[in-house]
Structure formats: structure tokens, C-alpha cells
Amino acid sequence: MSDATTTDLYEVTMAMSYLQEGMTAPATFSLFARDLPAERGFLVAAGLEPALDYLSGLHIGPEDVEAFASALHRSPEALRPLLGLRFTGDVRAVPEGRIVLAGEPLLEVTAPLPEAQLVETYVLNQLNHQTAAASKAARCVLAAAGHPVVDFSLRRTHGTQAGFTAARAGAMVGFAGTSNVAAATDLGIPAVGTMAHSYIEAFADEEEAFRAFARAHPGPVTFLVDTYDTEEGVRTAARVLKDLGPGISEAGSGIRLDSGDLAALAVRARSLLDDAGLPGVRIIASGGLDEYAIEDLVSSGAPIDTYAVGTRVGVSADAPYLDTAYKLVEYDGRPVMKLSSAKVTAPGRKQVFRGPACSDVIGLADEQPPDGATPLLETVMRSGRRTGRRATLDECRERFTGDLSALPPEARRIREPVAPRATASGPLSTLTARVRHHIEEQTAAA
């Protein structure tokens, strides 16, 4: 089986039905977040690259047909119309790293209806999770106010692949490194890490553990100092670092605080290190940190140099999912919309026009941009093939940094942010009213 089977059963059933009914005209589906999670002033688009990898490689082979047939309790022969299906459509999307708002399409797929329907789950899965992770990580970068933030999330993410994508999302918005070796190697992210409490406990005492660790690493080294008594651990670390000499102690070495009152402990640790003649030794804080805890520590003036975030950021604990949708907006040249209560969609293929300070306007895809505005969605796939090379993380970071600098300050707040809202253009509003009226007329007549 291939990635083609990474779909929901109903999508297979619908695709089969479309084929049987001869409904293979072009269809456009729009993927967007209906609303932002609480305490979010913006989202960061992510997950596009793996979605494009899936679409460009999609091919339903005999084993996939067997799997579909087994799931539907039908014979493989009945599912044979799906055999050989590939994605042959076009994709327009917001490039990774760009800031997006509620209601704005992150991606639009235009393809023969069975193809566009069958890819719904995979595409939603990739953009949903990775946009949530990148948005959470971006808030940590904001809260850190220029201090480095690093990713320690792999042990607590929901699977190793989720850990990889969380590390990538963090790097996209400016994280300084990751403890995830696979991500560091594959993505060219700096690898960072220290030691576990178990390492300290395995030795007779802390000093023996620190010296053994230093012998195993040419430096710089970071010692975990709170396994037993934190102040004593700092003193021991300072003694070992002094013995290692300035070539190690002044070359980026540090201590890590992982529990307790991090602000107070950081103040005391800084004093002890300075008194020992080690002003260049850094203090790294970890242990259940997220953007809220980081903001509090920064506001308190705690002398913390680097923040290591794990569990709460890797799973975006306070907002672990986005209310994203992948909705049909046009079929065979006919704009369509959904009128369900609280889930109304706008018809037609769209574009987002970004003006100053993220004053966004959602319009139709063939509209001209308003004065001073630029379109967000770009054509990234045509006829089932990428239109360009894969974006680098540096390019994604540049996009994020540029959009962030233009975002209103109230949207960047960690607590109680005010999210800007996109407005609809006149042509889009007119089309929406016309399609709604037609649907209501048809419903009344029925």
C-alpha cells in the first residue's frame, strides 16, 4: 500500500460515485481555518511542502485498490475504476512561513472532482497540524523577546513524525535549534541538548557526572544542575567549568534549570556563576515552558539566556487543533457554497490581497489587487507537478519575519491579542449573495 490509502473511507466512496456518474469536471476545494483558537492573533501557514510531496507522488496501485475493497467489503474488481488514478490538478497556496488570518484560504485545489475529493484528508492533516505547531512556536519566539528558543519536544509529541514536523515548524519561525537528531540532520537545524537527570543519578555524585560528561564532549557543555539541590549543583558545575578552562567555559557552555521557581533560581545561579568568575556561562531554562511562562520570565527580568520548550509547544497544548475545513467552492465552472448554520462558506475560487498592516481583502481569484496590496496565494502546482523548487527554511523564516513586522502590535500580544479580520471584496460579496439566493430559490421550489 502507498500513501494513497491515507484517506477517509467516505472519500473513497464519493470518488467511486463520481466516476460512476461521469462527474469528472474540474472542481475547486478551498482549505481555510474558520476561526482562530483562543488567545491567537494570527496563524503561520505550514505543512504545504509535505502536502505537495503527497500530491505529486499520488498513484493508486493494485495494493491500494485491494485495501479500499477490503475496507468497503467489496471485490477489488468493483474498485478497479480507481486503479491508476494520479493527481493531475493545480494548487494555489499561501507559501509556508506567511502569516494568515481566519477565513482566508491557505490552499485551493483545482482538479477533476474524484481526485480533488480523494486528497482531502491528507492535505487537511498536513496543513492543520503543522500550521497549529508553527503558530504556537511563533508565539514562543515573540514571548522570548530576542532570547533564543530551542525545541525539546520529541519525547512528548504524538508520534515521531509529529516530533519531526514540530521541529521543522519551530525552525520555520526562528527557533535556534532542536534536540531531535533526525530533524537536525535532515533539515540542517543546529542540534542542541544537555543531559537527563538519570545520567546524574547513575554516578556516585554530581561532580563525577559532570566531569565524565565533559570528558565525553569536547565542548561546549551544558550541565543539568537541579537533580538534587539546585544551588549546590550550580556551585559544582562552576567548579568543573573553571577546571575545564576558558576554552570551554567561555565558548558557549551553560547550566540548565529544569524545575522550581525558575526566575528566582536563575537570579541565584547568575550570582553564583559571576562570583566564580564565569560571566560567560549561559543559563538555559526548561520544564513545562510555553509562551505564557516565557513571557512571565522575561517580564520578571530573570537572567535566562535560552528557553527550551517541549511538551506544551510540541503538541500546541492549549490549542492542539485548528477548525480547518476543505470545502467545495466551484464545480464545472459553477460556484457553490454551504449554508449550514455557523458554517457558511463563500463560493468561487479566491485570492487574498494583503495590504499594509495585514489589512487583508478576500476576493475572487481573477480580480485585480486593490491599490497597495499583493496576492498571497501562489500557483505551486500545475497539472500535478510542482511549478518550482522546494522552499528552504531560510526563505520561510524571511517570509515570517517580514509578515510579523507588518502585523499590528495588538495582534502580536501573547495574552488577549486582537486578531485582524479580512474583509470580502465587492465582487465576492456580490457572488455570495447571488449563489445564496439561487440556492434558497431552488430549496423553496423543491
Side-chain angles (χ1 to χ4, degrees), residues 56-75:
S56 61
L58 179 64
H59 175 249
I60 295 181
E63 290 185 351
D64 302 315
V65 170
E66 292 273 359
F68 292 149
S70 175
L72 288 167
H73 304 289
R74 300 182 66 182
S75 70

Side-chain angles (χ1 to χ4, degrees), residues 33-57:
R34 290 190 179 94
D35 295 296
L36 301 187
E39 299 284 4
R40 297 291 192 275
F42 62 89
L43 297 175
V44 180
L48 174 62
E49 292 297 340
L52 295 180
D53 287 343
Y54 165 77
L55 293 173
S56 61

Side-chain angles (χ1 to χ4, degrees), residues 209-432:
F210 292 163
R211 293 189 183 279
F213 192 79
R215 286 193 294 271
H217 298 274
V221 294
T222 299
F223 297 140
L224 180 61
V225 296
D226 64 349
T227 302
Y228 305 120
D229 177 86
T230 302
E231 286 196 26
E232 190 56 38
V234 175
R235 292 188 182 95
T236 302
R239 187 163 56 250
V240 174
L241 286 166
K242 288 283 284 186
D243 289 346
L244 292 173
I248 299 297
S249 64
E250 296 179 8
S253 291
I255 63 165
R256 176 160 71 100
L257 303 170
D258 189 53
S259 57
D261 184 341
L262 294 176
L265 289 170
V267 170
R268 183 60 180 148
R270 184 73 272 156
S271 176
L272 291 170
L273 291 170
D274 290 348
D275 289 347
L278 297 168
V281 172
R282 300 171 303 126
I283 297 177
I284 296 95
S286 61
L289 297 181
D290 59 11
E291 69 268 41
Y292 301 106
I294 293 173
E295 183 180 57
D296 290 341
L297 287 166
V298 171
S299 298
S300 74
I304 294 170
D305 299 290
T306 300
Y307 294 92
V309 297
T311 302
R312 295 181 183 177
V313 176
V315 301
S316 188
D318 63 322
Y321 69 93
L322 301 175
D323 185 16
T324 49
Y326 180 89
K327 296 300 180 185
L328 181 67
V329 295
E330 184 177 289
Y331 176 61
D332 199 12
R334 173 173 58 90
V336 300
M337 66 185 298
K338 180 179 175 181
L339 296 181
S340 303
S341 177
K343 291 188 176 182
V344 176
T345 59
R349 297 187 303 119
K350 300 174 190 68
Q351 180 59 271
V352 180
F353 302 107
R354 171 145 298 167
C358 292
S359 54
D360 291 359
V361 175
I362 304 176
L364 297 176
D366 56 2
E367 286 187 49
Q368 290 299 308
D371 290 342
T374 56
L376 281 189
L377 278 77
E378 301 176 2
T379 299
V380 293
M381 182 170 280
R382 187 175 287 115
S383 300
R385 296 188 176 186
R386 288 175 178 263
T387 57
R389 60 173 176 77
R390 176 186 292 270
T392 67
L393 283 174
D394 284 342
E395 290 168 337
C396 294
R397 277 191 290 266
E398 288 176 8
R399 293 170 187 151
F400 170 69
T401 302
D403 279 359
L404 188 66
S405 65
L407 196 66
E410 59 269 22
R412 286 180 270 161
R413 293 201 298 252
I414 302 303
R415 291 176 168 86
E416 299 182 358
V418 178
R421 297 287 302 189
T423 58
S425 69
L428 178 58
S429 300
T430 300
L431 177 64
T432 299

Side-chain angles (χ1 to χ4, degrees), residues 91-113:
V91 178
R92 297 164 51 251
V94 177
E96 289 189 306
R98 299 220 63 174
I99 286 175
V100 291
L101 310 178
E104 297 179 347
L106 283 84
L107 169 148
E108 286 198 337
V109 169
T110 300
L113 181 56

